[in-house]
Amino acid sequence: MADVTVETLVEETEFGLVTVAGVRGSAMKSPLTWAFISEQGDPSPYLSGGELILTTGSGLGQDRATMRHYVEQLAKAGAAALGFGISTFYSEVPPELINAAESAGLPLLAVPAGTRFAAISQFVTDHVSDDCQEGLQYAVAAQRDLTRASVSPYAARTIVERLAKVTRSWALLLDQDGRLRAAGPGARLHLARIQIDLPRLGEQSGATSLTMNVAGESVVLFSLNVGERVRGYLAVGRSAPFNRAEQDVLASAVSLLRADLQSASSVLDAQRRQRKAVFEAIAAGEARLATDIAEVLGVDCPEGNLRVALLGVPAGYEHELLEHAERDRGLRTVSALVVEWDRGRVVVVMPPAEGDIRTLESLLRRIPHARGAVSDPTPAQEFPEAWQQVRSVFSSAPGAAGKLAFAGDVATSGLIRHLTSAEARGWADMLLAPLAEKNRASKIDLRHTLRTFLAHNGQSDASAAVLGIHRHTLRYRMGKVAEVLGCDIEDPTTRAELWIALQLTDQP
């Protein structure tokens, strides 16, 4: 299957066509979609792209500016070439027209007086019709082949291999981080080069594909999106450009690969919901129920004494934290239960083991600004209390990035453990009541903002970084807190009282 091009016409000796301008680059290999005979001064409004314009120049003016405008309009409309017929109007191609075509990069062909425009037009029409029929048959057969591949046990890999075969190209499938997932024959040789070029696609705002010329090859790079997230990349390349039918096949392969990723994403979402159901049973003190649910759903459920950790990141790193935790080899080794508790918050339930704390801290260090809190090994019947302590410590303890706060060290020390009376709790609830009322009426969690601010000793930059907001936004929010509570946040006594009140109201 081959397109009819400007070069094809020139090689047909019966026409005697001579190229006089615009032969640079790939213009001579541009596929022709039609041959359009016109003596109008500007036929560009009637073009859709890829046409060969045939004219004797009878409708052209003879001045340089008019001819330049004529050629520029044709090039702008996407014309593939201009055929200028030698006739009684012009005994040769005007130099002004040659110069204009050369400047615009539009192939200009001299058509001898004895060559009929109708013959050229018929030749192009016949070839385009044959190409369209052949291209349609090819596309249908190739898309049928790819669809069959999409239902195979290893769909993504099979699609890539079939795509490489039907397009006579090399093909690479990469994950969202640019790592190799699948490759057609001989494609691995191009991996390093494509990984270097991946950022170029990200630089194209809103673009999901990018056509490049790399080391003399035509390469098309696609992003494979599921929802708003890029879940992978497909790169396909060869020495010759892809024609329209092949481009349709590439588009079909991309759609099938996206559907495969969407299916995998749906399965993963279901698995996450199942793990959360198991954790909720453990957190409610229903260890036996949790085991039964896990057995039915096929989910790992650690038993015996357990640690529970709450890990968190600021806005923008939520997916990164969850995916790193789910893929962590150390956590998988001990059959840890990994659950997305809330956006940007991940719970890990694991049996105590040598190096378990280092595993968690290593995980935190991989994600900017990640921090966490962890309990001591706890019997199943005491798990709900341990979980409550971890949540309280995570919310109140500053916690350096990459470090864990230990619930046992914080929750059982200091003055707070002695303030357990109903009077103390009532005082705390009354002090913070205006803030609770404001929180119910606002989308901004002022209580969490206050806690973070106090936990970082009133340091604006550190508090803003943890909250994922600008320090000016933090200053505005703290002004609202002071206004709602009717107090001076800068007063040390006020800060101490607010901190104690927050700790007391966090108690179960």
Side-chain angles (χ1 to χ4, degrees), residues 41 64 91 94 101 111 136 167 329 446 492:
R64 181 182 304 174
S91 59
V111 183
L136 178 61
T167 58
R329 291 183 180 179
L446 293 179

Side-chain angles (χ1 to χ4, degrees), residues 104-414:
L106 181 70
L108 176 58
L109 311 179
V111 183
T115 299
R116 294 180 298 113
F117 282 177
I120 298 174
S121 178
Q122 187 63 54
F123 179 86
V124 173
T125 299
D126 291 345
H127 277 72
V128 168
S129 297
D130 290 345
D131 285 346
C132 287
Q133 184 62 32
E134 187 179 355
L136 178 61
Q137 294 172 351
Y138 161 80
V140 169
Q143 289 169 2
R144 185 185 300 119
D145 200 25
L146 292 174
T147 301
R148 288 172 181 162
S150 70
V151 296
S152 67
Y154 303 98
R157 185 178 70 192
T158 309
I159 290 171
V160 169
E161 291 172 350
R162 299 280 178 86
L163 177 65
K165 181 178 180 180
V166 299
T167 58
R168 302 180 303 283
S169 62
W170 54 261
L172 289 168
L173 180 63
L174 311 179
D175 68 12
Q176 63 219 47
D177 299 317
R179 293 187 294 261
L180 180 65
R181 282 191 61 203
R188 292 175 184 268
L189 297 174
H190 306 274
L191 177 60
R193 188 180 70 198
I194 293 302
Q195 287 171 330
I196 292 173
D197 287 322
L198 282 183
R200 292 177 59 184
L201 180 55
E203 293 167 1
Q204 308 293 318
S205 178
T208 57
S209 66
L210 176 65
T211 301
M212 307 177 289
N213 191 283
V214 183
E217 290 193 315
S218 179
V219 178
V220 187
L221 179 61
F222 300 92
S223 65
L224 304 176
N225 297 5
V226 176
E228 298 180 354
R229 298 199 65 206
V230 175
R231 306 297 299 186
Y233 299 92
L234 173 67
V236 187
R238 67 182 191 188
S239 57
F242 296 96
N243 61 36
R244 292 189 178 185
E246 290 168 330
Q247 290 171 12
D248 289 341
V249 172
L250 293 181
S252 295
V254 169
S255 296
L256 290 170
L257 288 170
R258 284 176 176 158
D260 181 67
L261 286 169
Q262 178 67 59
S263 176
S265 179
S266 298
V267 171
L268 181 57
D269 287 342
Q271 292 172 342
R272 287 171 175 170
R273 289 193 296 271
Q274 292 168 355
R275 293 199 299 266
K276 190 167 185 178
V278 172
F279 171 72
E280 287 174 342
I282 298 175
E286 301 287 347
R288 175 56 67 88
L289 176 61
T291 301
D292 292 343
I293 293 173
E295 186 175 348
V296 171
L297 298 177
V299 176
D300 286 333
C301 181
E303 299 179 2
N305 289 347
L306 299 173
R307 286 191 190 276
V308 57
L310 179 58
L311 315 178
V313 288
Y317 298 97
E318 301 95 333
H319 294 293
E320 193 172 350
L321 173 62
L322 179 58
E323 290 174 359
H324 273 77
E326 290 175 334
R327 297 198 300 253
D328 188 88
R329 291 183 180 179
L331 296 181
R332 286 186 175 184
T333 299
V334 297
S335 298
L337 181 66
V338 176
V339 175
E340 184 179 31
W341 178 251
D342 203 353
R343 187 171 177 81
R345 302 290 182 265
V346 170
V347 177
V348 178
V349 181
M350 58 196 298
E354 184 177 357
D356 53 3
I357 298 300
R358 288 196 300 274
T359 296
L360 291 170
E361 290 186 335
S362 174
L363 172 62
L364 291 178
R365 285 194 291 270
R366 294 178 219 161
I367 302 103
H369 311 299
R371 63 186 185 90
V374 63
S375 73
D376 292 329
T378 305
Q381 63 271 21
E382 298 177 12
F383 190 92
E385 290 76 18
W387 169 229
Q388 179 61 39
Q389 286 183 349
V390 166
R391 291 170 63 188
S392 176
V393 169
F394 179 87
S395 299
S396 58
K403 295 294 183 181
L404 288 166
F406 292 88
D409 292 345
V410 177
T412 60
S413 64

